[in-house]
Amino acid sequence: MTAEHYNISNEEYHLIKNLVYDRFGIDLGSKKQSLVTGRLQKILNTGGFKTFEAYYHFILEDQSGQALSTLVDRISTNHTFFFRENEHFEFLRTEILPELKARLSKTGDQSLRIWSAGCSSGEEPYTLAIVLREFFGLDFSNWDIRILATDISANVLKKAQDGVYPKEALQTLDGRLINKYFISDQDDNFQARASLKDFILFRRLNLMREDYPFRQKFHLILCRNVMIYFDQPTREVLTEKFHRYLRPDSYLFIGHAESLGRGNPYFKYIKPAIYYRTDQE
Ligand SMILES: C[S@@+](CC[C@H](N)C(=O)[O-])C[C@H]1O[C@@H](n2cnc3c(N)ncnc32)[C@H](O)[C@@H]1O
């Protein structure tokens, strides 16, 4: 049986666009009509919906939230890779970690909390885990280090949690790190070792929530290539929230194509895509 092709009307596009904006902050704008049509074809076909409007009402009526979850899985852009925007990891290794290690050692509180917000399929938190393992070396076990990795998409989170990547996904990693932190199988898939997985906690979380369910604040938050899909008011609200969940003297990384603006009241600009929370609580 050949799959049916569904066209979306302007009204239907607006319904879906507004729903995605209200629930997830993702601003599809006015020009993503064909992208949305393409990405949702399969759902309409397999779900037996006659029109996009029928699909829209189905999502609204679905109390389980599963339909909404499937929608965002299809709509969100999940592109990512290991050591993406490597300047961040260099800055972490050469500036932030030495400074934090010295500062925290003095206080006797050897715990370090990092949040990868919008972690997609896990390459970002696993990269962080590698950098941390490499930096602390044998001293790692004397520290209480945790990475929280969250995303709205259940689909990519499952991949992140599995931590299994095809060989091509590891091309930005050098051979020594691959051997040290991954185990390969006969199909040339590479599984992240427990030495990385054990200190990453993966959770589904919508950044649009009013509050986040975190007990501890972070020394570093990475929210890279996520806000690019949000409009300016949404970015501002989110930036204020990141400020709330960061400790004093902590850091925020955003994507290199993104900016908080140099006059941002919550953060001091350090260098492109790197900000510092200086104020006290
Ligand atoms: C392009 S990926 C970025 C991945 C990684 N941070 C990087 O820079 O490579 C953007 C991610 O943001 C997630 N995302 C979009 N809207 C979100 C929301 N409202 N709450 C949580 N995550 C969201 C998407 O599901 C997607 O996995």
Side-chain angles (χ1 to χ4, degrees):
M1 211 173 78
T2 54
E4 194 166 330
H5 181 82
Y6 296 87
N7 290 317
I8 195 165
S9 68
N10 287 341
E11 291 73 26
E12 287 173 323
Y13 178 65
H14 278 96
L15 289 175
I16 304 265
K17 176 172 118 52
N18 291 343
L19 181 66
V20 169
Y21 179 73
D22 288 346
R23 305 296 174 95
F24 308 113
I26 300 172
D27 180 16
L28 291 168
S30 53
K31 298 196 184 99
K32 300 270 170 67
Q33 206 140 331
S34 57
L35 180 129
V36 168
T37 315
R39 287 192 180 176
L40 298 181
Q41 286 298 314
K42 201 169 157 201
I43 301 185
L44 267 79
N45 261 299
T46 50
F49 301 102
K50 294 240 163 354
T51 59
F52 275 94
E53 191 180 350
Y55 171 55
Y56 168 78
H57 287 294
F58 171 78
I59 300 172
L60 292 191
E61 282 154 26
D62 171 38
Q63 302 282 324
S64 72
Q66 186 54 52
L68 201 56
S69 175
T70 310
L71 172 71
V72 75
D73 275 347
R74 296 297 303 147
I75 291 293
S76 63
T77 299
N78 308 118
H79 178 65
T80 185
F81 51 92
F82 288 96
F83 285 93
R84 182 180 196 180
E85 301 183 1
N86 190 35
E87 298 84 348
H88 277 147
F89 300 106
E90 275 302 299
F91 190 78
L92 178 63
R93 188 176 70 78
T94 58
E95 304 279 337
I96 299 182
L97 290 176
E99 188 270 316
L100 275 177
K101 188 176 180 190
R103 177 160 35 107
L104 297 177
S105 297
K106 271 190 223 148
T107 66
D109 175 16
Q110 306 224 132
S111 64
L112 191 55
R113 296 286 177 273
I114 299 182
W115 178 20
S116 165
C119 66
S120 189
S121 39
E123 287 84 339
E124 181 174 284
Y126 286 118
T127 301
L128 279 169
I130 291 171
V131 172
L132 288 159
R133 277 274 179 196
E134 289 292 296
F135 177 81
F136 283 94
L138 292 175
D139 206 18
F140 188 89
S141 56
N142 297 322
W143 285 72
D144 170 19
I145 301 179
R146 311 263 172 86
I147 298 169
L148 173 69
T150 65
D151 203 280
I152 188 62
S153 164
N155 208 10
V156 288
L157 260 186
K158 165 86 175 64
K159 289 188 189 158
Q161 233 149 359
D162 290 347
V164 179
Y165 300 93
K167 195 175 180 188
E168 312 78 69
L170 301 186
Q171 60 194 8
T172 49
L173 276 174
D174 79 46
R176 183 185 70 83
L177 295 179
I178 297 176
N179 288 335
K180 193 164 167 189
Y181 294 110
F182 293 83
I183 305 167
S184 63
D185 65 15
Q186 301 108 323
D187 302 325
D188 252 359
N189 286 321
F190 289 73
Q191 161 90 63
R193 289 183 192 265
S195 59
L196 300 183
K197 294 182 100 173
D198 281 358
F199 67 105
I200 310 177
L201 181 68
F202 292 100
R203 283 280 178 277
R204 184 157 184 260
L205 181 107
N206 187 351
L207 290 168
M208 294 303 111
R209 280 176 64 139
E210 281 281 310
D211 291 303
Y212 304 135
F214 306 148
R215 264 175 283 138
Q216 289 182 314
K217 296 190 177 188
F218 299 94
H219 297 93
L220 167 65
I221 296 178
L222 295 88
C223 186
R224 309 184 315 150
N225 308 297
V226 179
M227 287 196 273
I228 202 164
Y229 303 105
F230 301 161
D231 64 4
Q232 192 53 27
T234 308
R235 284 180 203 149
E236 282 168 17
V237 171
L238 194 55
T239 308
E240 184 278 321
K241 276 195 274 187
F242 287 149
H243 176 262
R244 230 190 293 156
Y245 289 91
L246 277 167
R247 299 169 191 235
D249 299 307
S250 56
Y251 298 85
L252 173 67
F253 289 177
I254 62 173
H256 280 84
E258 301 160 329
S259 164
L260 297 186
R262 293 197 187 198
N264 186 284
Y266 302 112
F267 293 98
K268 180 173 161 230
Y269 170 88
I270 298 192
K271 56 198 282 190
I274 299 180
Y275 293 83
Y276 185 57
R277 181 191 156 159
T278 49
D279 59 315
Q280 298 303 305
E281 286 175 300

